[in-house]
Amino acid sequence: MPYLIGLLLIIISAYTGSAFISLLLGVVFAYSFNLSEQFITKSIGSKLIQLGIILLAFIIPLYDAYELTRTFLPSISVFVILIFILGLLLGRFLKVDKNQTILIASGTAICGATAIAAIAPILKAKPKIIIASISLVFLLNAFGLIAFPLLATYLNMSQDFFGAWAALAIHDTASVVGAAMTYGQDSVEMATTIKLTRTLWLIPLMVVLSISYNKKTMLKLPIFVSIFICTLILSNYLVLTDTADNLIKAISSICLFTGLFCIGTSIDKESIKIFDKKLITLAISLWMIAILISYILVSYLI
């Protein structure tokens, strides 16, 4: 029964074309059926989002992506380093567990749950700490998915400004793209390219932490980012018909909305119970700082 209803809700979420509704339906589904940790939607959400973003690479001009990266890389670097350092200082001030502070600081500065999952083995973080950090980031992203487009509409932001701001201020790639799709299709290219450039900072972070914790690590790109870059380059040599272009956009949208629904199913009662006041204060305070700094940086560039 849950599978049938879940499939129906996925169809509805894809049909509505709303990132917020997709996420909300996923949360409602999880709360209604008290899904187990092994339920299929909890393991495929991020993969569907990644597939949808990779498909977007076929319709993003390579030169545009290069120009965006070249223009925003200095600002992205300043943002990542500053937020990470402020996160460490704030965590120490609030007396939050060291490993949990690093996880939250990394997730806020770079790429949310992806960063947390990537560096947790290096830190030998306890499962409870990892789950709490990822769950809190998911909840903040869900709020950002709703609040950012509303705030941008109130402030009358341009599509480019919103795409850049969301790419810096929101943690996870899925929520960045979801918020951009909600605000307007023209902001998606900007948001996707800048967010993936920001994700590249995961590499030096892993190297630094590995050295600090006396562990060896391989210097390599996350597989998802590597595939996106290769697809972006390959697409520059392909000439797509309008039909093919529209088909790719449609499949990409289905993957993204379905992925957001699946991510919504990961937010349940159990994930909320493991939070404590210090962790919540750290995550929210650091995110508010990140939102303000990202807005200032984008204001100077656009």
Side-chain angles (χ1 to χ4, degrees), residues 9-10 12-14 16-31 45 49 137-147 172 174-175 178-179 182 256-267:
L9 292 176
I10 287 173
I12 293 173
S13 66
T16 60
S18 169
F20 165 62
I21 291 177
S22 296
L23 190 72
L24 179 62
L25 288 175
V27 174
V28 171
F29 181 60
Y31 268 74
I49 292 290
V137 165
F138 271 140
L139 287 174
L140 293 179
N141 274 272
F143 176 78
L145 188 63
I146 303 166
D172 281 319
S175 295
T182 300
L256 292 170
F257 290 128
T258 304
L260 286 169
F261 171 86
C262 293
I263 287 175
T265 64
S266 298
I267 303 173

Side-chain angles (χ1 to χ4, degrees), residues 8 32 50 63 77 96 98 113 142 180 185 191 199 208 212 218 225 241-244 246:
L8 178 62
S32 300
Q50 290 172 359
Y63 178 77
S77 302
V96 177
K98 181 181 177 181
Q185 190 62 37
T199 301
V208 170
S212 301
M218 293 182 64
V225 178
T241 63
D242 290 341
T243 302
N246 291 331

Side-chain angles (χ1 to χ4, degrees), residues 210-230:
S210 295
I211 293 173
S212 301
Y213 283 75
N214 297 316
K215 286 182 173 291
K216 295 181 179 180
T217 188
M218 293 182 64
L219 181 59
K220 59 181 181 180
L221 290 174
I223 294 175
F224 155 56
V225 178
S226 300
I227 295 175
F228 178 85
I229 293 173
C230 292

Side-chain angles (χ1 to χ4, degrees), residues 55-274:
L55 289 173
L56 284 177
F58 281 105
I59 53 179
I60 297 177
L62 180 60
Y63 178 77
D64 290 353
Y66 167 75
E67 283 297 308
L68 285 176
T69 301
R70 184 177 63 84
T71 302
F72 281 91
L73 183 57
S75 296
I76 293 171
S77 302
V78 169
F79 173 84
V80 169
I81 294 171
L82 186 58
I83 294 302
F84 184 74
I85 293 174
L86 288 174
L88 296 182
L89 294 175
L90 188 58
R92 180 176 295 183
F93 174 76
L94 293 171
K95 296 181 180 180
V96 177
D97 174 82
K98 181 181 177 181
N99 282 349
Q100 197 149 43
T101 295
I102 295 174
L103 292 177
I104 292 296
S106 302
T108 307
I110 301 177
C111 52
T114 302
I116 292 171
I119 68 171
I122 300 174
L123 305 178
K124 289 186 176 180
K126 296 178 180 178
K128 184 177 180 179
I129 290 177
I130 299 172
I131 294 171
S133 300
I134 290 178
S135 298
L136 184 51
V137 165
F138 271 140
L139 287 174
L140 293 179
N141 274 272
F143 176 78
L145 188 63
I146 303 166
F148 269 61
L150 293 176
L151 181 59
T153 300
Y154 177 77
L155 296 174
N156 196 28
M157 290 183 185
S158 68
Q159 293 282 318
D160 284 349
F161 191 105
F162 179 78
W165 180 50
L168 284 179
I170 299 178
H171 306 74
D172 281 319
T173 303
S175 295
V176 168
V177 176
M181 291 174 68
T182 300
Y183 193 65
Q185 190 62 37
D186 291 343
S187 67
V188 174
E189 178 182 329
M190 175 78 78
T192 301
T193 304
I194 294 176
K195 183 63 181 78
L196 292 178
T197 302
R198 179 180 162 204
T199 301
L200 295 178
W201 266 95
L202 185 58
I203 301 169
L205 175 64
M206 292 177 67
V207 172
V208 170
L209 289 177
S210 295
I211 293 173
S212 301
Y213 283 75
N214 297 316
K215 286 182 173 291
K216 295 181 179 180
T217 188
M218 293 182 64
L219 181 59
K220 59 181 181 180
L221 290 174
I223 294 175
F224 155 56
V225 178
S226 300
I227 295 175
F228 178 85
I229 293 173
C230 292
T231 304
L232 193 62
I233 295 172
L234 174 64
S235 66
N236 191 54
Y237 298 97
L238 298 176
V239 179
L240 298 177
T241 63
D242 290 341
T243 302
D245 191 74
N246 291 331
L247 180 60
I248 290 174
K249 287 181 180 178
I251 297 174
S252 174
S253 294
I254 291 172
C255 290
L256 292 170
F257 290 128
T258 304
L260 286 169
F261 171 86
C262 293
I263 287 175
T265 64
S266 298
I267 303 173
D268 54 24
K269 299 175 184 177
E270 295 302 319
S271 65
I272 297 175
K273 289 180 181 178
I274 55 180

